[in-house]
Amino acid sequence: MKTATRTGTETEARRATRPRADALRNRERIVAAAREMFVEYGPEAPLDEIARRASIGNATLYRHFPDRSALLVEVVRSVLSRAADTAERVDAEEPDAFVALCRFVHEAADERIGALCPLLSGAFDAQRADLDAERVRLVGTIEEMMARARQAGRLRPDVGHGDLMMALSQLSRPLPGTGCTDTDRYTHRHLQLFLDGLEAPARSALPGRSATLEDLRRATP
């Protein structure tokens, strides 16, 4: 009898600590709205407006994220995680590694990965272990795709993952302001021009060197 009672109590305790489905949906809506607001207006976007765009009350937003820093961290972690998931998925789906690389770049642009740069400006600790784990997972998968593409003779040998991530970040990052979404229609066009330049054989020698993972930790996603 005591065992049954204890088991029932443990089950209730687990239920009490497990986030409710509606709470999870609210959190996802907040992060999605914050990502778009940060892209449009930068990391100082009004939290009240983020709550309005997420169709939740201010109290709900602060219940999930007590301050701006906590929300910034979660937006960065979410975008990095989704980009890493995308990289792993296209790498598994595409037998042609160069095609996989191109698919990743275009899909990552739609995830607003370029919005990470202004967020990684010192408003919080960008070297947090959870953020760095997602960054390492993303870069590792990109390196695997690039290695396969080089081996197949599709990718020029003098480019690295840093070149890819720097270009993706720059070309997919609209300028903050109300008119920034007007540039979205050019993003994939310019990214494809960049990707065409990655194909072997190379038509010119690249100056300098590719950014390293440590460079990306300091400056880019």
Side-chain angles (χ1 to χ4, degrees), residues 117-136:
C117 280
L119 300 188
L120 295 173
S121 60
F124 61 89
D125 181 10
Q127 306 305 318
R128 287 169 50 112
D130 53 348
L131 300 182
D132 202 47
E134 295 294 353
R135 186 187 289 109
V136 169

Side-chain angles (χ1 to χ4, degrees), residues 115-192:
L116 289 179
C117 280
L119 300 188
L120 295 173
S121 60
F124 61 89
D125 181 10
Q127 306 305 318
R128 287 169 50 112
D130 53 348
L131 300 182
D132 202 47
E134 295 294 353
R135 186 187 289 109
V136 169
R137 181 165 71 97
L138 172 60
V139 169
T141 306
I142 292 171
E143 286 185 324
E144 290 175 7
M145 283 190 284
M146 296 184 85
R148 288 201 298 118
R150 284 192 203 95
Q151 188 174 18
R154 297 290 313 280
L155 180 69
R156 55 188 293 170
D158 56 348
V159 295
H161 69 267
D163 296 310
L164 189 79
M165 295 306 295
M166 292 285 281
L168 173 59
S169 175
Q170 294 296 325
L171 294 175
S172 65
R173 189 200 320 177
L175 295 174
T178 56
C180 71
T181 53
D182 291 343
T183 64
D184 286 354
R185 55 183 169 166
Y186 303 117
T187 296
H188 292 286
R189 177 183 177 86
H190 296 160
L191 285 172
Q192 191 57 50

